[in-house]
Amino acid sequence: MALAVPIAEPVETPAAAETGGTLTIDLAAIEANWRALTRELLTVECAAVVKANAYGMGLEPVTAQLAKTGCKTFFVADIAEARAVRSRAADATIYVLDGFTTDWADAFIDINARPVINSTTELAEWDAFVSAQSWRGGAALHIDTGMRRLGITPDEAVALAPRAQTENHGIALIMSHLACADTPAHPLNETQISLFRELRMLYGGIPASLANSSGIFLGDSTHYDLARPGAALYGVNPTPGKPNPMQSVVELTGRILQIRNVGKDETVGYGATWTAKRPTRLAVIALGYADGLVRAGGASDDRPGGAAIIAGERCPIVGRISMDLTCIDITDVPSGAVHRGDIATLVGGEIGVDEVAAAAGTIGYEILTRLGPRCHLVYRGG
């Protein structure tokens, strides 16, 4: 049966003519990535992690698209995100990863959301709250099997296990989080998988969830009852070192403000970190680290940097990326093929988000969540 999904209002965005760049997000690609995981790898329910504004892709449009596609469970960081998801997915199950606080208490009832309980203190507070409100709201119980951030300890999980056999125990899901799933050979994976398997047996009859994006690709032993992909939905490669099985979701383009000549042995940008080895033509782009490009993504004399696509050619970024501007070496592009006002692609096409991240010494997750806060925003495929 089709879910009733409110139509998203137009997203407020600066006009294209008034900004230096455009961020384009392909909702159809996000849908295709979710469907690919669901149909090709999983035989269990596939949720969607939409925290951090759906990894920068827009919480409400992404939620609406996935709910329309058939996604029934969403994970968010906090209550504000849960409220936004509820506005676009009226019947969905929503888990709040940051857990329960008394400041958020009434909101869990108002929007029918479930906390992910991360400590015995939280559990006691949650129990007191639902008892006082005579509410049967469920919660997830997060067990720390090796990440060592949030979650109850394995010993605490063992001590709490008899609760699962009582009436109205209130545990809707048990879950853990893999620390090294993107490195399949890492020994911590097997340690966590084995420990979670043992603990899950103590909570018979309660659904379980372990696999994140990369965890899904570790095989059936991580799938349990519910998978929780996040980054893979948005085009980040969940299998580093192998071809990316996910479709690209995002494109970032910027206007060329100026084309200028730089002489051999002249430097470019802050700190004079890059020196021209030959007479060089530069295209100066109206995008910088204020638009989500990482400052370290430019080339210096000691290391290569990222790249851009200009006039169909791959061209290197040179010098430090500054707040509003990025310099691109277009010397090898045929003379006359590039003009002031033309468009350069910094993310998208053959330049995937993981490549952009690697050039800056970071990960695709960070790039996605930073992109385009002041750009013209375009959604397609919705």
Side-chain angles (χ1 to χ4, degrees):
M1 183 174 66
L3 296 173
V5 180
I7 298 173
E9 294 87 2
V11 177
E12 291 188 12
T13 175
E18 297 180 359
T19 67
T22 295
L23 180 67
T24 302
I25 296 166
D26 190 341
L27 294 173
I30 295 175
E31 175 182 333
N33 287 337
W34 185 84
R35 288 188 184 277
L37 295 173
T38 300
R39 293 175 176 174
E40 298 172 18
L41 291 167
L42 295 170
T43 58
V44 301
E45 182 183 350
C46 186
V49 180
V50 292
K51 64 181 181 176
N53 193 30
Y55 287 56
M57 301 296 96
L59 180 54
E60 294 184 8
V62 168
T63 296
Q65 186 80 12
L66 290 173
K68 181 176 66 175
T69 302
C71 184
K72 299 177 180 178
T73 303
F74 295 86
F75 286 81
V76 298
D78 56 33
I79 278 290
E81 291 182 343
R83 195 177 297 279
V85 168
R86 180 60 71 211
S87 74
R88 296 293 177 262
D91 301 319
T93 300
I94 304 171
Y95 286 102
V96 179
L97 292 163
D98 285 357
F100 178 76
T101 75
T102 54
D103 291 337
W104 295 349
D106 292 339
F108 281 102
I109 296 178
D110 292 342
I111 60 177
N112 190 21
R114 298 175 176 179
V116 175
I117 299 299
N118 293 303
S119 70
T120 54
T121 299
E122 277 185 40
L123 182 60
E125 292 176 347
W126 172 250
D127 284 343
F129 171 70
V130 296
S131 176
Q133 298 297 321
S134 299
W135 189 53
R136 298 299 185 192
L141 186 63
H142 180 193
I143 304 170
D144 176 20
T145 56
M147 178 70 83
R148 297 186 179 87
R149 297 184 308 185
L150 299 175
I152 66 172
T153 68
D155 287 345
E156 289 170 333
V158 171
L160 286 170
R163 172 179 176 145
Q165 309 308 317
T166 64
E167 187 178 3
N168 299 324
H169 54 71
I171 304 173
L173 181 74
I174 61 167
M175 58 180 283
S176 190
H177 193 68
L178 294 165
C180 302
D182 57 353
T183 309
H186 198 290
L188 185 54
N189 289 322
E190 184 54 39
T191 297
Q192 290 191 267
I193 290 169
S194 297
L195 179 55
F196 190 71
R197 183 189 306 121
E198 293 174 8
L199 294 171
R200 192 261 183 128
M201 293 175 64
L202 303 177
Y203 288 79
I206 296 177
S209 178
L210 179 61
N212 54 7
S213 289
S214 294
I216 291 171
F217 289 81
L218 293 179
D220 294 349
S221 65
T222 69
H223 293 175
Y224 289 98
D225 303 291
L226 180 71
R228 312 189 309 269
L233 299 177
Y234 313 110
V236 172
N237 189 356
T239 58
K242 298 180 180 179
N244 190 350
M246 316 314 298
Q247 291 188 25
S248 178
V249 167
V250 65
E251 179 183 71
L252 179 67
T253 59
R255 285 187 295 113
I256 296 176
L257 298 178
Q258 187 179 101
I259 297 171
R260 62 183 303 134
N261 295 316
V262 173
K264 183 177 182 295
D265 295 328
E266 292 185 333
T267 61
V268 173
Y270 283 115
T273 58
W274 184 86
T275 306
K277 303 297 188 298
R278 59 178 177 173
T280 300
R281 283 187 302 131
L282 296 181
V284 183
I285 313 301
L287 291 173
Y289 60 74
D291 304 291
L293 299 175
V294 177
R295 182 171 178 263
S300 68
D301 291 337
D302 300 324
R303 59 178 293 275
I309 303 297
I310 297 178
E313 301 288 338
R314 187 182 184 93
C315 305
I317 298 172
V318 298
R320 287 180 180 163
I321 293 172
S322 53
M323 184 180 292
D324 311 302
L325 303 170
T326 298
C327 294
I328 315 293
D329 182 349
I330 59 169
T331 309
D332 293 329
V333 178
S335 180
V338 185
H339 307 88
R340 177 172 173 261
D342 287 352
I343 298 299
T345 300
L346 281 298
V347 184
E350 67 177 73
I351 301 178
V353 66
D354 294 292
E355 178 186 336
V356 175
T362 184
I363 56 176
Y365 301 64
E366 182 178 3
I367 298 297
L368 283 179
T369 56
R370 294 164 58 113
L371 285 178
R374 58 181 180 175
C375 289
H376 176 61
L377 181 61
V378 174
Y379 284 98
R380 67 185 184 204

